[in-house]
Amino acid sequence: MAMVSAPPACCGPPRVSGILYASSAEAGSSSSSSSSNSSASCVNVLRLNDGCVASSNIRIGVGRLKCSARSNSGGFDTLFSSFWVEGTTSGPAGSGVGGLSGAAAALEASSVAIHTNGGYGSRGGAAAEVAACSSSGETTVVPVTQLSEEEVENAREWAHKPRRIALFVEPSPFAYVSGYKNRYQNFIRYLRELGDEVLVVTTHVGVPAEFYGAKVIGSWSLPCPWYKTVPLSLALSPRIYREVANFKPDIIHASSPGIMVFGALAIAKLLSVPVVMAYHTHVPMYIPKYTFSWLVKPMWLIIKFLHRAADLTLVMSHALGKEMRAAGASTAEKIRIWRKGVDSDSFHPRFKSQEMRNRLTDGVPDTPLIVHVGRLGAEKNLDFLKKVMERIPEVRLAFVGDGPYRPDLEEMFQGMNVMFTGMLQGEELSQAYASGDIFITPSESETLGFVVLEAMASGVSVVAARAGGIPDIVNQDGETGFLYTPGDLDDCLRKITALLESSDLRQKIGAAGRAEVEKFDWRASTRQVRNEQYSAAIWFWRRRKEQLANRFSGWFKRPELA
């Protein structure tokens, strides 16, 4: 049994120098590893202000350990994958990732992401070392087999019990075609599959009465003045408030930024419910394209106001998480990654179609074909593709999708080998992906880039700008896809030309990309959010209530925590 000393307890919350979370394993799911004597793992530990520590085990690497304090009151049980530690951070130069030293031994395990005050990243290793946790006294690391079954089961039950979740999503995931449409539709579907009650509040156009058993409420909306196809709604009418109050949610989850997120925040505060904000659209990057650049700073002030008031912020990529933290929109401990997901059955190489290729190449199927799928908006940097086509005019380019920038693009590409298909859905969309030789996206503002995931699932070689959340997807440049320096035409053309000149390279890159995205599915992504990240938000919310109660304890009687 390992023993480490910890600093004395203080009246405030613990200092957090780093948060480790396992992105590839569900808490408590390692059955094959528990019999290994030589392997080790880490555990989640949360310190409460009264000195008690609540903890739970997760699988990291090939084994498990349990970390707990001598006084574990059971005041809070959780199953979210975070490791809180006192100490300093250090790491290899240029790695962007901090190791952990000081009060804790370094933790190195395969498939572990490390999020420190210095940045995000991933770090590999054969097996976990000893993990140390801070508490009000000595901290022990003991094998999971020494824990009572009741203790483990109580923690698991707390995280996995059915919940009542109110989703505020703007614009509608049922009517507005965007990157997060599939995310929210699948999220609702698998929350219901996990046994949760779900209430969806969204903009009013095209709203179904229910979706996979979740009740859907439409809130009257108006088009955004600068982007007419995006409806906005405050969702703070007495009707909406009554519906949410009667639903009695355990947690409110709101998409951000927008107008509806203000309504969601107000209702959460009125009902005293934890609120999670998922940051999907990086509006500060869009503002110069549609309106005045001087509005960027006020927009950041709005974002900071919203997310500082939230109990947890979900972001779509490590890069966006770093930017949100650097801007002061949230603290490192309250920013989490919403794991990517893709429907690898609906997007698959088997949908390759000669008929679709004829359509996309305007009847010349033997011509090399580059495909772009997505909303046609000025913020997508699509005029960069005109420079590409001017250098390789013999290639065909197909734009699949629609948007406000389409008329400008049609005029821009007039007389060139370019096809505009408009909006495609269902099997036609799957065929369009799979029938191209190369998928390209020059966008530098993607918070994630679902179209890149779908293209990789379709077995098509991807060429994309090294920006936003895309490097999180094409995480092995030159193996699962190609990334080029944003704005660097020569770099982009080198990668396109290499693929066009070698069918073997296209096949190799396409197969590797397909293999990479097969690791992700919507069910696992949803489970991580509701089991781990919602649990984290609830704990932060409780901690905030306790801090407020302590601050004003002389004014009124301290309320019991919910």
Side-chain angles (χ1 to χ4, degrees), residues 407-426:
D408 298 272
L409 290 172
E410 289 178 330
E411 182 178 350
M412 185 186 304
F413 286 95
Q414 191 171 10
M416 305 179 78
N417 292 330
V418 177
M419 166 69 69
F420 290 86
T421 69
M423 190 72 67
L424 297 182
Q425 296 181 352

Side-chain angles (χ1 to χ4, degrees), residues 23 80 96 172 179 189 194-195 198 216 274 347 458 479 485 489 491 521:
S23 58
F80 77 93
S172 169
R189 173 185 176 183
L194 289 166
V198 180
V216 182
F347 299 99
S458 302
E479 296 183 27
T485 303
L489 179 60
D491 189 22
D521 63 57

Side-chain angles (χ1 to χ4, degrees), residues 56-105:
S56 64
N57 62 293
I58 60 172
R59 177 170 66 88
I60 296 181
V62 291
R64 289 190 289 179
L65 286 180
K66 179 74 178 186
C67 183
S68 63
R70 285 192 296 182
S71 63
N72 188 340
S73 68
F76 181 76
D77 291 317
T78 185
L79 267 166
F80 77 93
S81 300
S82 296
F83 177 63
W84 296 55
V85 60
E86 294 276 356
T88 59
T89 60
S90 60
S95 67
V97 181
L100 296 177
S101 61

Side-chain angles (χ1 to χ4, degrees), residues 4-7 51 70 133-139:
V4 298
S5 61
R70 285 192 296 182
C133 321
S134 59
S135 73
S136 58
E138 295 176 331
T139 302

Side-chain angles (χ1 to χ4, degrees), residues 98 142 305 348 396:
V142 300
F305 166 78
H348 194 281
R396 295 270 172 174

